[in-house]
Amino acid sequence: MIAPPLLRARNLGRHYAAARERAAILSHLNLELAAGEIVAVVGRSGSGKTTLLNLIGAMDRPDSGHLEFEGEDMSGWNDAARTAFRRARLGFVFQAFNLLPTLTVRENIALPLELNGLPQAARVAELLNALSITALADRFPDQISGGEQQRTAIARAIAHRPRLIIADEPTGNLDRDTGREVIALFERCVRAAGATLLMATHSDEMLGHADRVLELRNGALSARP
Ligand SMILES: Nc1ncnc2c1ncn2[C@@H]1O[C@H](COP(=O)(O)OP(=O)(O)O)[C@@H](O)[C@H]1O
Ligand SMILES: [Mg+2]
């Protein structure tokens, strides 16, 4: 028996009722992600990248089509199952980092471990070291730079060893050199963990780190050579 892909989207559709022409943002979108792949999604601003990532991350629901994770139909999941998926199997790197301002760097990274009832100290120390932020462990997010916040956000996304990591323009707020450094670290962590990474990006620099590049246009994805 052939194992199902990690993720499969079939004929996925999403429109926003509030949008002026009620035009579909995504329509008949197909995507398969294999375990261990790094896939980049490119497309102009407003093409629907964030909408797609939010559907796959179970933060939003499609209007039509099917989404499967490890062969399970996600549309059959109730809210508790969706929350459990996000907590245990998903790591999400938000464009604006979304670190919790009242928690230190160490506590932000420990949070997914705590939520999953996993041991914290050794794993947090390992991630602080891997992302070169050990010296910042006891600072709060507003006491570190954008690049350091992003490294913290990456550590938090991978801490609990999720099968799927989604990153929405992860270097969008970083200058070129910092972005380059952060994405190289990110790739190393993802590959070492054997996780699958799906990232939206504007940055050509990040494309070199992807196994495949897909372009989102007119609501659907196509391979970009
Ligand atoms: N909650 C919403 N309500 C109505 N329209 C939205 C909403 N979120 C996004 N859109 C619209 O959907 C389109 C796709 O947005 P988005 O997925 O954020 O694109 P991208 O991430 O590629 O820039 C845009 O035209 C945007 O204005
Ligand atoms: Mg976006």
Side-chain angles (χ1 to χ4, degrees):
M1 200 184 106
I2 300 166
L6 183 77
L7 181 113
R8 179 187 276 142
R10 280 276 170 270
N11 281 320
L12 209 59
R14 182 78 174 93
H15 67 267
Y16 293 114
R20 208 177 290 163
E21 335 81 80
R22 295 181 126 257
I25 305 304
L26 305 177
S27 63
H28 304 291
L29 181 143
N30 295 305
L31 171 66
E32 281 191 8
L33 297 177
E37 272 194 299
I38 297 185
V39 175
V41 174
V42 299
R44 63 174 178 75
S45 176
S47 60
K49 301 182 297 297
T50 296
T51 300
L52 174 64
L53 299 187
N54 287 341
L55 291 177
I56 292 173
M59 307 204 198
D60 183 22
R61 289 178 189 270
D63 297 310
S64 55
H66 293 278
L67 261 181
E68 278 177 20
F69 188 82
E70 293 182 326
E72 279 179 57
D73 181 358
M74 290 173 68
S75 66
W77 293 352
N78 62 16
D79 285 347
R82 292 162 67 82
T83 302
F85 164 75
R86 289 194 301 263
R87 185 174 54 216
R89 295 196 272 179
L90 182 70
F92 208 107
V93 181
F94 296 90
Q95 180 168 11
F97 312 148
N98 291 15
L99 297 173
L100 292 175
T102 59
L103 300 184
T104 63
V105 166
R106 183 195 309 283
E107 290 164 345
N108 266 283
I109 298 170
L111 189 60
L113 299 167
E114 192 182 331
L115 291 173
N116 284 293
L118 297 167
Q120 297 171 31
R123 179 67 173 151
V124 172
E126 179 192 337
L127 289 162
L128 288 168
N129 183 49
L131 290 151
S132 310
I133 46 177
T134 303
L136 312 172
D138 296 313
R139 296 209 205 160
F140 290 91
D142 66 358
Q143 298 170 329
I144 60 179
S145 73
E148 292 160 352
Q149 289 181 38
Q150 187 60 316
R151 280 186 268 164
T152 304
I154 287 169
R156 181 180 61 175
I158 64 180
H160 51 305
R161 303 183 198 280
R163 305 282 290 121
L164 176 63
I165 298 160
I166 294 177
D168 196 354
E169 306 201 21
T171 58
N173 287 322
L174 305 179
D175 64 69
R176 214 180 152 81
D177 287 345
T178 308
R180 189 180 299 161
E181 222 171 81
V182 168
I183 196 62
L185 272 172
F186 195 14
E187 182 190 0
R188 231 179 293 148
C189 291
V190 168
R191 300 241 188 244
T196 299
L197 170 63
L198 177 65
M199 60 182 173
T201 182
H202 267 122
S203 151
D204 284 347
E205 306 237 336
M206 288 184 59
L207 302 182
H209 297 274
D211 300 313
R212 285 194 289 149
V213 179
L214 303 173
E215 185 170 14
L216 183 52
R217 190 162 12 122
N218 299 329
L221 288 170
S222 54
R224 224 184 69 160

